[in-house]
Amino acid sequence: NTSGLTLSFVEDHPVDTELTQLIAVDKENTSNGNGIVKYSIASQNPQILQMFSVDANTGVISLIKPFNFSANTQFTLEIRATDSPAKGKSLSANYTLNIVVLQDKDTGPYFPVPVSTVDVLENITQGTRFLELKAVDRDAGALSYSIVSQVAEQQPSSAATQDHFSINNSTGWLTVVLSLDYEQVQRYHLVVQATDTAATKRWRSTNATLTIQVVNLNEHSPVFPPIQNLSLVEDFRLDSVIYQAIAQDQDDGLFGQIVYAFHLSDGSLALQDGPFSINATTGEVWLHSNLDYEKRRAYSLTIRGSDTLGNPSGKFSE
């Protein structure tokens, strides 16, 4: 027995084509038949005999049935060379041939569960994993992941042009690598690619498009500008606006919407305090009953501006 040859073929190698040729040498004289060599497959494995043939005269080994990487990745053939003496017993020698089947990427990877949109809180910690993108491939072999592109929907900002996300090339886990800020960027659009790793380097890939929506948080309190004292004549016209409270909030959405009310001395909130009333939406303060200088010469009003539509869990200033 002699071994020493390993050959590799892609699984879509054409049928009825030559794989290799083995040539045995017999030093005896061919005139009496001793030096004439005949070739055969020594193995009695039906699978081997169905897959391969050998030309008895030339030693050419051919593929007679298609490879299937998913079923078999390696075959071991015992090729026998036998002399043909006119008299006496024939002599033979075996040669072991190993055939390795390489995968032909005939299906390619795909994402079985498409993920189009995912929400991420704007205060998520840098370095936090938040989503695993998992592709599958009916062929054997590992997959490699990469981010092909990531685009931010933004107001012009140099920070927004930086890559805020990364992906583990082996596991497909997405990670936040830079701080998010809803007030700067509300959405990011990513294209993630999964690529197979066929030994033949005939790689195939598939893409998934993902929109990451940054979830707004209530980070800022409303801020009032300095308020000056107001002077009114006692016969000031009723149902007239005497002042408008305007607070600013750097948050967007509901967290940036401000509701106004009077903060009374007993701690409660109300839309009326004495002869004055306030519009909860606009912050306009109205005079709704007569003033009397002899009875009262001054009023101290505390106006509260609250975000999140006045929700107690929101932030406020006075």
Side-chain angles (χ1 to χ4, degrees):
N1 273 12
T2 304
S3 61
L5 185 60
T6 298
L7 300 176
S8 298
F9 298 93
V10 179
E11 65 175 322
D12 64 350
H13 189 87
V15 176
D16 297 326
T17 57
E18 177 181 331
L19 299 180
T20 189
Q21 181 179 19
L22 297 180
I23 299 176
V25 177
D26 192 322
K27 296 182 179 180
E28 296 190 81
N29 195 323
T30 59
S31 60
N32 59 7
N34 291 342
I36 298 176
V37 178
K38 296 291 184 179
Y39 302 91
S40 62
I41 297 177
S43 172
Q44 296 305 306
N45 184 336
Q47 188 179 45
I48 297 294
L49 298 176
Q50 292 172 6
M51 294 289 299
F52 306 97
S53 67
V54 59
D55 187 292
N57 297 314
T58 64
V60 170
I61 299 170
S62 300
L63 179 69
I64 58 176
K65 185 179 178 180
F67 290 124
N68 184 348
F69 180 87
S70 301
N72 289 286
T73 60
Q74 186 168 341
F75 298 90
T76 300
L77 281 68
E78 293 289 336
I79 304 299
R80 178 169 295 166
T82 305
D83 60 13
S84 307
K87 297 180 180 180
K89 184 178 179 180
S90 60
L91 301 176
S92 63
N94 290 352
Y95 188 90
T96 301
L97 175 65
N98 296 306
I99 293 179
V100 176
V101 181
L102 301 178
Q103 185 178 17
D104 172 41
K105 304 305 294 184
D106 51 11
T107 59
Y110 65 97
F111 289 95
V113 182
V115 179
S116 58
T117 304
V118 61
D119 293 340
V120 178
L121 293 175
E122 66 173 328
N123 66 342
I124 187 172
T125 306
Q126 294 181 44
T128 301
R129 302 187 309 174
F130 65 93
L131 180 67
E132 182 183 22
L133 294 176
K134 203 69 177 177
V136 297
D137 193 340
R138 293 191 181 95
D139 298 313
L143 296 175
S144 177
Y145 299 90
S146 61
I147 297 177
V148 177
S149 67
Q150 49 181 302
V151 179
E153 288 186 15
Q154 78 226 18
Q155 303 169 3
S157 168
S158 59
T161 63
Q162 303 178 49
D163 290 342
H164 283 66
F165 308 95
S166 67
I167 192 168
N168 185 296
N169 62 0
S170 300
T171 65
W173 270 100
L174 283 168
T175 299
V176 176
V177 295
L178 290 177
S179 297
L180 305 180
D181 187 348
Y182 178 88
E183 281 68 44
Q184 290 292 325
V185 180
Q186 288 82 49
R187 278 174 296 276
Y188 295 87
H189 301 286
L190 274 64
V191 177
V192 175
Q193 186 173 87
T195 305
D196 58 35
T197 54
T200 58
K201 294 188 177 181
R202 299 168 65 181
W203 299 332
R204 293 187 181 182
S205 62
T206 186
N207 291 348
T209 300
L210 174 68
T211 296
I212 298 175
Q213 294 191 150
V214 181
V215 177
N216 191 21
L217 295 177
N218 194 9
E219 299 176 291
H220 306 283
S221 298
V223 177
F224 283 107
I227 298 177
Q228 297 179 351
N229 293 331
L230 299 178
S231 297
L232 299 176
V233 295
E234 65 177 330
D235 62 349
F236 195 89
R237 189 174 62 182
L238 296 181
D239 299 323
S240 298
V241 176
I242 65 169
Y243 176 77
Q244 184 176 14
I246 300 177
Q248 302 292 332
D249 195 318
Q250 295 182 41
D251 292 309
D252 286 339
L254 291 179
F255 297 135
Q257 294 180 11
I258 301 172
V259 175
Y260 300 93
F262 291 125
H263 187 194
L264 305 183
S265 58
D266 62 2
S268 63
L269 297 177
L271 296 180
Q272 185 173 328
D273 188 357
F276 306 100
S277 62
I278 189 168
N279 185 303
T281 303
T282 65
E284 292 177 333
V285 178
W286 294 68
L287 178 66
H288 66 81
S289 58
N290 292 319
L291 302 176
D292 189 336
Y293 179 82
E294 283 71 26
K295 290 182 179 181
R296 186 167 181 176
R297 300 183 180 184
Y299 294 86
S300 178
L301 302 177
T302 301
I303 299 174
R304 172 173 291 189
S306 305
D307 57 21
T308 64
L309 297 179
N311 190 315
S313 64
K315 297 185 177 182
F316 65 88
S317 66
E318 297 176 341

